[in-house]
Amino acid sequence: MLEVLNGFLLLYIVILCTLSALVPVLVKPIASCFVRPSNEERSVWIEIVKFKNEQQNLSMKDDFAAYSKIQRRINKLDMLLKENAQTRLSKSLAIKGSINIILQAVIGLVIVISVIWFRREPIVALEGDLFPLTTILRYPSDTPNAVSTHVWVLISNVSIRSLLKPLIS
């Protein structure tokens, strides 16, 4: 049987560990707010579409000079668009990496501070005698058969990451 001694702390640690496990999923939408196609890229794309529509109205055999002139313009704009997209992609990767590191560091720091702050608080008490593991599970708490904050963070982190692994991957 299991008795919850500190429900708030139990839930708090589970939420922190879940957030820590979900950081890779949260990074993508946050980073997309910072990296969007610029107005210049949108206008280049509109010009390419306009030139392609013009080109479709021309016969390649009859109006070869005009057709190839438009094709050269399309190719030039396409190269410009690809360069801009490559720049945006590298910027996006840098932002995603930074956001990932910052979120992991903040959540990790909050977890470490919480473990230090609540180090003597038992989270749950187990029924029965778990002789070889009793001291390890309750350290530094004095409550018999209890699970301390340190161990609860470890158990929550491992179990939540293994449960969410199929969703994240």
Side-chain angles (χ1 to χ4, degrees), residues 39-40 69 82 106 120 131 168:
N39 290 334
E40 180 184 329
K69 185 177 179 183
K82 284 180 183 177
V106 167
R120 297 203 183 275
F131 168 64
I168 294 173

Side-chain angles (χ1 to χ4, degrees), residues 4 7 10 13 18 46 49 61 74 95 115 119 126 130 153:
V4 177
L10 180 135
I13 297 295
T18 304
I46 290 169
V49 170
K61 289 181 182 178
I74 290 172
I95 289 174
V115 165
R119 67 182 172 271
L126 304 171
L130 305 169
V153 167

Side-chain angles (χ1 to χ4, degrees), residues 9 114-123 133-152:
L9 197 54
S114 299
V115 165
I116 292 170
W117 188 269
F118 298 110
R119 67 182 172 271
R120 297 203 183 275
E121 291 288 323
I123 305 288
L133 302 174
T134 305
T135 309
I136 296 170
L137 290 175
R138 71 181 171 115
Y139 180 80
S141 171
D142 294 330
T143 309
N145 292 330
V147 177
S148 69
T149 306
H150 302 78
V151 177
W152 186 253

Side-chain angles (χ1 to χ4, degrees), residues 15-17 20 22 72 75 81 108 111 118 130 135 141-142 162:
I15 289 171
L16 282 176
C17 291
S20 176
L22 290 176
R72 284 192 299 273
N75 291 344
L81 194 64
I111 289 174
F118 298 110
L130 305 169
T135 309
S141 171
D142 294 330
S162 63

